[in-house]
Amino acid sequence: MPHTLQYRPVLIDALISNERIASYARVFRPSNDVELIGAYLWNVHVCSALYPLVSSVEIALRNAIDQALVADMGAFWWSASKLKYRSYKADAPPPRAVQAVHENFVKATRKTINEMRGRHHVRGRITPRHADVLAKAEFSTWGYLLDAEFMGRGLIWPKHLSAVFRGPWPVRRAGATLAQAHDLVATVREFRNRLFHHEPAWKRYGVRTEADALLHLHEKLDVVEKLLGLIHPENLRLLQVYGLLLAARRSCTVEEIRRFQHLAQVHRVESMDVLAGLVARCHARNETLAARLRHSPSAPFLISLP
């Protein structure tokens, strides 16, 4: 049972740290350590539910850009001799976005070579494969490639924009669509970094209450869905069919916070009709419910969507 755990001084004070968990106390206002740790573990649950969505964005965007550019410029389209930009001057350094793309592919190439030498014991000259370098390029690479520096006659945009973003465009003009895509990727990238570095997914300036935290999470989910649909509608259909979008939305609710805080109602299942009613409620409301069989000493079980 949750009340048998050593929250202090072991779990909170030593293993998690009061500094890390202080923001949970301020925003979620728990009445005891069980509820405080519940809010903390709920965030872990949210991050795990959001991970496949954010990963899908990164993979879909990377592959969409790569496939479009490979078809036109060859496998190593990111080389400086191929990837032109708008403000090029022979005697001037490239702008930040262009330099960042170059640096990211240099790092990805080095990582590939080092892995081949260290992990696979390859000796001599190594020529990295296109797929290996691509897989090691940082997420920021794709955001930098959507910079306006690559927009113009003879450049990659708008020439390949419709091949990369095959969903409904938010506006008709290519320049405006590129700018919106750039902003969406920047938002997802910032959110991704918070998730992947074990920070509170709900945290940002201005979040002061539980309701603020949940609103923030749903705003981020809206951005993820919008970007996935812009790349290709089938991205969204895949996550919908397999229930990952529903699972992410379900995790970002008051009911899920209460469940992790051990404050959720435990429904007593006394008949098949009661069980069927609870299952129907789960489907109708996208909820996870705690239940217990009548006269059963076993722990409660969960009823949830697949």
Side-chain angles (χ1 to χ4, degrees):
M1 297 299 291
H3 294 282
T4 64
L5 296 170
Q6 298 182 50
Y7 294 102
R8 300 181 194 270
V10 179
L11 290 172
I12 294 175
D13 299 335
L15 299 180
I16 298 174
S17 84
N18 283 285
E19 181 179 13
R20 173 170 286 271
I21 210 166
S23 59
Y24 290 87
R26 289 193 299 270
V27 170
F28 296 93
R29 302 179 184 273
S31 59
N32 54 51
D33 285 340
V34 173
E35 294 177 17
L36 178 59
I37 288 292
Y40 178 81
L41 293 178
W42 164 76
N43 179 74
V44 175
H45 171 63
V46 168
C47 290
S48 68
L50 297 179
Y51 175 85
L53 274 63
V54 175
S55 295
S56 294
V57 168
E58 182 170 2
I59 293 169
L61 181 63
R62 179 190 72 194
N63 291 339
I65 291 176
D66 180 63
Q67 289 169 13
L69 300 189
V70 164
D72 183 42
M73 301 161 63
F76 293 92
W77 50 262
W78 53 78
S79 66
S81 62
K82 295 182 179 181
L83 194 59
K84 308 299 183 181
Y85 56 95
R86 188 171 61 186
S87 63
Y88 172 78
K89 291 182 181 179
D91 57 347
R96 171 60 186 151
V98 176
Q99 184 62 30
V101 170
H102 173 71
E103 291 173 353
N104 281 3
F105 277 110
V106 168
K107 286 190 290 184
T109 302
R110 287 174 179 166
K111 286 180 183 178
T112 302
I113 292 173
N114 290 338
E115 182 176 284
M116 294 294 292
R117 285 177 175 158
R119 184 176 176 184
H120 302 288
H121 307 292
V122 177
R123 296 293 178 262
R125 179 179 177 81
I126 296 174
T127 302
R129 296 187 310 167
H130 164 269
D132 294 334
V133 176
L134 190 72
K136 288 179 172 53
E138 298 177 1
F139 189 13
S140 62
T141 308
W142 319 115
Y144 287 126
L145 277 167
L146 297 175
D147 190 271
E149 275 293 335
F150 299 107
M151 179 80 169
R153 185 182 297 275
L155 305 180
I156 60 175
W157 317 126
K159 183 178 181 181
H160 300 294
L161 202 62
S162 61
V164 173
F165 298 110
R166 299 170 66 184
W169 284 18
V171 289
R172 294 178 64 89
R173 292 188 300 111
T177 293
L178 180 68
Q180 288 200 30
H182 178 273
D183 292 345
L184 291 173
V185 172
T187 298
V188 173
R189 179 194 167 201
E190 180 183 1
F191 189 51
R192 169 199 183 275
N193 291 343
R194 177 164 288 280
L195 294 179
F196 287 19
H197 289 90
H198 313 294
E199 296 294 329
W202 48 268
K203 196 173 182 181
R204 74 167 178 192
Y205 178 78
V207 170
R208 297 184 176 85
T209 67
E210 181 179 273
D212 292 338
L214 293 173
L215 178 62
H216 172 63
L217 288 173
H218 282 282
E219 288 172 350
K220 296 301 183 186
L221 280 169
D222 290 342
V223 171
V224 169
E225 289 192 29
K226 187 173 182 179
L227 181 53
L228 280 170
L230 180 60
I231 298 168
H232 201 298
E234 282 298 290
N235 290 316
L236 281 180
R237 280 178 42 79
L238 174 66
L239 299 179
Q240 288 167 346
V241 168
Y242 281 86
L244 296 177
L245 286 176
L246 280 176
R249 293 284 181 184
R250 182 168 61 248
S251 70
C252 301
T253 59
V254 172
E255 289 76 16
E256 284 294 90
I257 297 174
R258 298 294 176 265
R259 184 166 72 83
F260 277 86
Q261 291 177 322
H262 293 275
L263 296 175
Q265 177 186 358
V266 178
H267 300 269
R268 188 177 298 277
V269 178
E270 300 180 343
S271 68
M272 289 300 294
D273 288 341
V274 171
L275 179 59
L278 294 174
V279 171
R281 174 175 163 178
C282 287
H283 280 272
R285 303 184 186 181
N286 191 26
E287 285 184 300
T288 294
L289 299 176
R292 187 194 299 274
L293 295 176
R294 184 182 183 185
H295 305 312
S296 173
S298 61
F301 60 91
L302 296 179
I303 305 173
S304 183
L305 296 177

